[in-house]
Amino acid sequence: QVQLVESGGGSVQAGGSLRLSCTAPVSISRYCYMGWFRQAPGKQREAVASHDCDNNETRGRASVRGRFTISKDTAKNSLYLQMNNLKPEDSAMYYCATDDRFWSIYTIPPLPRNFGQGTMVTVSS
């Protein structure tokens, strides 16, 4: 079990930007398959982006490609999600996730086994 703490959520207008951060209190060198999920009220949780530590490959769902960028700083035990040109449909609770076994947004299931508590993003039109 790895504790994850997200931050950086907030309220912005459409077209604005936010940068989400996810920090683990322990080294993420083992739990290195990391990514972001989101869940809007009344909707199912969906995977947003993932980072593959085997080859540093990043993957993003089609609706965020070109707008969201996932990155990782292993030295700081942190994962980030830079979100630009935000749209009202991006409004959701965003969760950081990690595991020591491979997963990606294209290979779910299995889901990663460690999730944070989430940070809320609200985009107004």
Side-chain angles (χ1 to χ4, degrees):
Q1 190 80 15
V2 177
Q3 285 187 323
L4 301 169
V5 179
E6 302 96 333
S7 61
S11 297
V12 297
Q13 289 191 326
S17 298
L18 286 172
R19 187 191 193 213
L20 305 184
S21 298
C22 169
T23 301
V26 296
S27 172
I28 59 173
S29 59
R30 173 183 170 186
Y31 295 89
C32 64
Y33 301 100
M34 303 187 75
W36 293 92
F37 287 72
R38 68 185 180 187
Q39 187 168 20
K43 295 188 177 181
Q44 287 190 330
R45 179 174 52 185
E46 60 183 20
V48 177
S50 58
H51 182 279
D52 183 348
C53 59
D54 291 331
N55 53 20
N56 283 320
E57 185 173 341
T58 61
R59 300 174 177 92
R61 65 185 300 112
S63 61
V64 307
R65 249 174 257 150
R67 300 189 298 123
F68 291 11
T69 302
I70 185 173
S71 61
K72 187 167 73 170
D73 188 333
T74 302
K76 295 182 178 180
N77 297 326
S78 295
L79 182 75
Y80 306 99
L81 186 68
Q82 177 66 45
M83 305 186 295
N84 298 326
N85 190 22
L86 281 160
K87 303 177 180 180
E89 52 264 41
D90 295 318
S91 297
M93 185 72 81
Y94 282 71
Y95 299 90
C96 177
T98 188
D99 207 319
D100 60 355
R101 68 183 181 192
F102 174 79
W103 70 276
S104 83
I105 63 170
Y106 299 140
T107 61
I108 294 172
L111 282 170
R113 291 172 288 187
N114 300 287
F115 281 83
Q117 294 301 306
T119 185
M120 190 69 198
V121 172
T122 303
V123 185
S124 58
S125 58

